Amino acid sequence: MQAWAADTGYLDALKAEAESDNPTVAPTFQAQDDDGRPPPRTDDQPQMESWLKANYIGSYVFYKKLSEPKRRAVYRVYRSGAEITKIREKINELLKQ
């Protein structure tokens, strides 16, 4: 069962890359550390923005409405290895402030 879960993430990453409008920006597949959490990402903020735009256009539109300091806060969440649901929650939280 555990091998299947890991394969699903990899297959999802491949599917997202194949369906991307910008094939030069490949989605990042995140393996998990021993504690079950994804490792920190090494992408810089422009790479994160390209990833968000290519794979989650709706979230990207709302992200672009944020001020630069709030965008950096979203980037810190992304950089920590958070899943897209956590990144979306952070964007929504910051939009309401």
Side-chain angles (χ1 to χ4, degrees), residues 43-58:
D43 306 6
D44 60 17
Q45 191 168 346
Q47 287 175 318
M48 187 256 337
E49 291 176 0
S50 294
W51 168 81
L52 195 61
K53 184 177 182 181
N55 297 290
Y56 305 100
I57 191 68

PDB file of all heavy atoms in Angstrom, residues 43-58:
ATOM      1  N   ASP A  43      13.318  25.606  -4.878  1.00  0.00           N
ATOM      2  CA  ASP A  43      12.963  26.574  -5.913  1.00  0.00           C
ATOM      3  C   ASP A  43      12.992  27.990  -5.335  1.00  0.00           C
ATOM      4  O   ASP A  43      12.683  28.203  -4.176  1.00  0.00           O
ATOM      5  CB  ASP A  43      11.545  26.333  -6.432  1.00  0.00           C
ATOM      6  CG  ASP A  43      11.312  24.919  -6.923  1.00  0.00           C
ATOM      7  OD1 ASP A  43      12.210  24.085  -6.755  1.00  0.00           O
ATOM      8  OD2 ASP A  43      10.239  24.653  -7.458  1.00  0.00           O
ATOM      9  N   ASP A  44      13.320  28.966  -6.193  1.00  0.00           N
ATOM     10  CA  ASP A  44      13.211  30.349  -5.745  1.00  0.00           C
ATOM     11  C   ASP A  44      11.784  30.843  -6.011  1.00  0.00           C
ATOM     12  O   ASP A  44      10.955  30.118  -6.559  1.00  0.00           O
ATOM     13  CB  ASP A  44      14.266  31.229  -6.415  1.00  0.00           C
ATOM     14  CG  ASP A  44      14.160  31.267  -7.928  1.00  0.00           C
ATOM     15  OD1 ASP A  44      13.105  30.881  -8.476  1.00  0.00           O
ATOM     16  OD2 ASP A  44      15.120  31.701  -8.563  1.00  0.00           O
ATOM     17  N   GLN A  45      11.495  32.061  -5.603  1.00  0.00           N
ATOM     18  CA  GLN A  45      10.120  32.557  -5.697  1.00  0.00           C
ATOM     19  C   GLN A  45       9.621  32.634  -7.142  1.00  0.00           C
ATOM     20  O   GLN A  45       8.484  32.223  -7.405  1.00  0.00           O
ATOM     21  CB  GLN A  45       9.985  33.913  -4.997  1.00  0.00           C
ATOM     22  CG  GLN A  45       8.542  34.338  -4.832  1.00  0.00           C
ATOM     23  CD  GLN A  45       8.366  35.519  -3.903  1.00  0.00           C
ATOM     24  OE1 GLN A  45       9.279  35.885  -3.170  1.00  0.00           O
ATOM     25  NE2 GLN A  45       7.197  36.120  -3.944  1.00  0.00           N
ATOM     26  N   PRO A  46      10.419  33.093  -8.116  1.00  0.00           N
ATOM     27  CA  PRO A  46       9.921  33.082  -9.503  1.00  0.00           C
ATOM     28  C   PRO A  46       9.600  31.674 -10.014  1.00  0.00           C
ATOM     29  O   PRO A  46       8.626  31.489 -10.743  1.00  0.00           O
ATOM     30  CB  PRO A  46      11.061  33.717 -10.305  1.00  0.00           C
ATOM     31  CG  PRO A  46      11.753  34.594  -9.311  1.00  0.00           C
ATOM     32  CD  PRO A  46      11.672  33.847  -8.004  1.00  0.00           C
ATOM     33  N   GLN A  47      10.381  30.678  -9.613  1.00  0.00           N
ATOM     34  CA  GLN A  47      10.086  29.304 -10.016  1.00  0.00           C
ATOM     35  C   GLN A  47       8.780  28.834  -9.381  1.00  0.00           C
ATOM     36  O   GLN A  47       7.982  28.151 -10.021  1.00  0.00           O
ATOM     37  CB  GLN A  47      11.216  28.362  -9.609  1.00  0.00           C
ATOM     38  CG  GLN A  47      12.450  28.516 -10.457  1.00  0.00           C
ATOM     39  CD  GLN A  47      13.583  27.659  -9.946  1.00  0.00           C
ATOM     40  OE1 GLN A  47      13.820  27.579  -8.747  1.00  0.00           O
ATOM     41  NE2 GLN A  47      14.288  27.021 -10.853  1.00  0.00           N
ATOM     42  N   MET A  48       8.563  29.201  -8.113  1.00  0.00           N
ATOM     43  CA  MET A  48       7.313  28.839  -7.444  1.00  0.00           C
ATOM     44  C   MET A  48       6.131  29.482  -8.163  1.00  0.00           C
ATOM     45  O   MET A  48       5.105  28.847  -8.375  1.00  0.00           O
ATOM     46  CB  MET A  48       7.346  29.294  -5.977  1.00  0.00           C
ATOM     47  CG  MET A  48       6.160  28.823  -5.165  1.00  0.00           C
ATOM     48  SD  MET A  48       4.784  29.943  -4.707  1.00  0.00           S
ATOM     49  CE  MET A  48       5.345  31.575  -4.738  1.00  0.00           C
ATOM     50  N   GLU A  49       6.275  30.731  -8.554  1.00  0.00           N
ATOM     51  CA  GLU A  49       5.199  31.424  -9.253  1.00  0.00           C
ATOM     52  C   GLU A  49       4.904  30.754 -10.596  1.00  0.00           C
ATOM     53  O   GLU A  49       3.741  30.583 -10.965  1.00  0.00           O
ATOM     54  CB  GLU A  49       5.556  32.896  -9.442  1.00  0.00           C
ATOM     55  CG  GLU A  49       5.555  33.665  -8.128  1.00  0.00           C
ATOM     56  CD  GLU A  49       6.008  35.100  -8.269  1.00  0.00           C
ATOM     57  OE1 GLU A  49       6.333  35.553  -9.393  1.00  0.00           O
ATOM     58  OE2 GLU A  49       6.053  35.790  -7.230  1.00  0.00           O
ATOM     59  N   SER A  50       5.934  30.343 -11.313  1.00  0.00           N
ATOM     60  CA  SER A  50       5.742  29.635 -12.588  1.00  0.00           C
ATOM     61  C   SER A  50       5.029  28.311 -12.365  1.00  0.00           C
ATOM     62  O   SER A  50       4.144  27.929 -13.130  1.00  0.00           O
ATOM     63  CB  SER A  50       7.088  29.391 -13.271  1.00  0.00           C
ATOM     64  OG  SER A  50       7.670  30.603 -13.642  1.00  0.00           O
ATOM     65  N   TRP A  51       5.430  27.591 -11.316  1.00  0.00           N
ATOM     66  CA  TRP A  51       4.797  26.319 -10.968  1.00  0.00           C
ATOM     67  C   TRP A  51       3.322  26.530 -10.643  1.00  0.00           C
ATOM     68  O   TRP A  51       2.459  25.805 -11.119  1.00  0.00           O
ATOM     69  CB  TRP A  51       5.535  25.703  -9.783  1.00  0.00           C
ATOM     70  CG  TRP A  51       4.835  24.545  -9.142  1.00  0.00           C
ATOM     71  CD1 TRP A  51       4.824  23.251  -9.572  1.00  0.00           C
ATOM     72  CD2 TRP A  51       4.055  24.572  -7.948  1.00  0.00           C
ATOM     73  NE1 TRP A  51       4.081  22.472  -8.714  1.00  0.00           N
ATOM     74  CE2 TRP A  51       3.600  23.259  -7.704  1.00  0.00           C
ATOM     75  CE3 TRP A  51       3.697  25.585  -7.049  1.00  0.00           C
ATOM     76  CZ2 TRP A  51       2.800  22.933  -6.615  1.00  0.00           C
ATOM     77  CZ3 TRP A  51       2.916  25.255  -5.960  1.00  0.00           C
ATOM     78  CH2 TRP A  51       2.468  23.943  -5.758  1.00  0.00           C
ATOM     79  N   LEU A  52       3.038  27.558  -9.847  1.00  0.00           N
ATOM     80  CA  LEU A  52       1.664  27.852  -9.461  1.00  0.00           C
ATOM     81  C   LEU A  52       0.833  28.221 -10.691  1.00  0.00           C
ATOM     82  O   LEU A  52      -0.279  27.717 -10.875  1.00  0.00           O
ATOM     83  CB  LEU A  52       1.659  28.986  -8.430  1.00  0.00           C
ATOM     84  CG  LEU A  52       0.400  29.233  -7.629  1.00  0.00           C
ATOM     85  CD1 LEU A  52       0.039  28.006  -6.799  1.00  0.00           C
ATOM     86  CD2 LEU A  52       0.581  30.435  -6.711  1.00  0.00           C
ATOM     87  N   LYS A  53       1.379  29.049 -11.552  1.00  0.00           N
ATOM     88  CA  LYS A  53       0.667  29.478 -12.759  1.00  0.00           C
ATOM     89  C   LYS A  53       0.406  28.304 -13.701  1.00  0.00           C
ATOM     90  O   LYS A  53      -0.684  28.174 -14.266  1.00  0.00           O
ATOM     91  CB  LYS A  53       1.469  30.560 -13.483  1.00  0.00           C
ATOM     92  CG  LYS A  53       0.767  31.125 -14.698  1.00  0.00           C
ATOM     93  CD  LYS A  53       1.597  32.230 -15.318  1.00  0.00           C
ATOM     94  CE  LYS A  53       0.881  32.840 -16.510  1.00  0.00           C
ATOM     95  NZ  LYS A  53       1.690  33.899 -17.134  1.00  0.00           N
ATOM     96  N   ALA A  54       1.391  27.438 -13.866  1.00  0.00           N
ATOM     97  CA  ALA A  54       1.271  26.318 -14.795  1.00  0.00           C
ATOM     98  C   ALA A  54       0.325  25.233 -14.301  1.00  0.00           C
ATOM     99  O   ALA A  54      -0.323  24.563 -15.097  1.00  0.00           O
ATOM    100  CB  ALA A  54       2.643  25.708 -15.066  1.00  0.00           C
ATOM    101  N   ASN A  55       0.228  25.070 -12.988  1.00  0.00           N
ATOM    102  CA  ASN A  55      -0.510  23.936 -12.445  1.00  0.00           C
ATOM    103  C   ASN A  55      -1.783  24.306 -11.692  1.00  0.00           C
ATOM    104  O   ASN A  55      -2.677  23.471 -11.568  1.00  0.00           O
ATOM    105  CB  ASN A  55       0.403  23.121 -11.520  1.00  0.00           C
ATOM    106  CG  ASN A  55       1.557  22.533 -12.265  1.00  0.00           C
ATOM    107  OD1 ASN A  55       1.373  21.627 -13.067  1.00  0.00           O
ATOM    108  ND2 ASN A  55       2.747  23.062 -12.041  1.00  0.00           N
ATOM    109  N   TYR A  56      -1.862  25.527 -11.194  1.00  0.00           N
ATOM    110  CA  TYR A  56      -3.010  25.941 -10.365  1.00  0.00           C
ATOM    111  C   TYR A  56      -3.358  27.389 -10.709  1.00  0.00           C
ATOM    112  O   TYR A  56      -3.181  28.296  -9.895  1.00  0.00           O
ATOM    113  CB  TYR A  56      -2.671  25.796  -8.873  1.00  0.00           C
ATOM    114  CG  TYR A  56      -2.206  24.410  -8.521  1.00  0.00           C
ATOM    115  CD1 TYR A  56      -0.860  24.112  -8.373  1.00  0.00           C
ATOM    116  CD2 TYR A  56      -3.129  23.377  -8.351  1.00  0.00           C
ATOM    117  CE1 TYR A  56      -0.438  22.828  -8.059  1.00  0.00           C
ATOM    118  CE2 TYR A  56      -2.712  22.087  -8.036  1.00  0.00           C
ATOM    119  CZ  TYR A  56      -1.366  21.832  -7.897  1.00  0.00           C
ATOM    120  OH  TYR A  56      -0.951  20.561  -7.597  1.00  0.00           O
ATOM    121  N   ILE A  57      -3.857  27.612 -11.902  1.00  0.00           N
ATOM    122  CA  ILE A  57      -4.078  28.963 -12.413  1.00  0.00           C
ATOM    123  C   ILE A  57      -5.025  29.779 -11.526  1.00  0.00           C
ATOM    124  O   ILE A  57      -4.815  30.966 -11.327  1.00  0.00           O
ATOM    125  CB  ILE A  57      -4.541  28.953 -13.893  1.00  0.00           C
ATOM    126  CG1 ILE A  57      -4.519  30.356 -14.491  1.00  0.00           C
ATOM    127  CG2 ILE A  57      -5.901  28.311 -14.036  1.00  0.00           C
ATOM    128  CD1 ILE A  57      -3.153  30.934 -14.669  1.00  0.00           C
ATOM    129  N   GLY A  58      -6.048  29.149 -10.976  1.00  0.00           N
ATOM    130  CA  GLY A  58      -6.976  29.882 -10.104  1.00  0.00           C
ATOM    131  C   GLY A  58      -6.276  30.405  -8.865  1.00  0.00           C
ATOM    132  O   GLY A  58      -6.432  31.579  -8.482  1.00  0.00           O
TER     133      GLY A  58
END
